[in-house]
Amino acid sequence: MDAYVSDARLKPFWRDGYSVVDAIKENKKKILFLSHPANWNGFTFENFKENIKRLYESFYMI
């Protein structure tokens, strides 16, 4: 792995300020990209509800 890139919940939207574009521009060959698409929208309350639902299901829907 030449680069690790992860999105962040808040601006600048990239953990450590290092984006996929940065890694590509640096000609990194193997990029590990961790993304959290639920964080990309501004619906914080909706995301919270979905997280609680998944937590509930993990305990009671086994």
Side-chain angles (χ1 to χ4, degrees), residues 3 5 18-29 31:
V5 179
Y18 188 73
S19 73
V20 173
V21 174
D22 296 329
I24 292 170
K25 284 181 179 178
E26 292 177 1
N27 203 30
K28 303 294 184 180
K29 301 297 181 196
I31 302 169

Side-chain angles (χ1 to χ4, degrees), residues 27 30 32 38 42 44 52-53:
N27 203 30
K30 295 179 183 177
L32 174 59
T44 306
I52 294 300
K53 179 182 171 187

Side-chain angles (χ1 to χ4, degrees), residues 4-21:
Y4 172 80
V5 179
S6 177
D7 60 347
R9 185 173 298 236
L10 303 172
K11 288 184 180 181
F13 301 120
W14 299 107
R15 189 164 312 278
D16 302 326
Y18 188 73
S19 73
V20 173
V21 174

Side-chain angles (χ1 to χ4, degrees), residues 10-11 13 20 22-24 37 39 41 49-50 55 58 60:
L10 303 172
K11 288 184 180 181
F13 301 120
V20 173
D22 296 329
I24 292 170
N39 294 340
N41 63 39
K49 285 188 341 187
E50 285 298 315
L55 180 64
S58 70
Y60 297 106

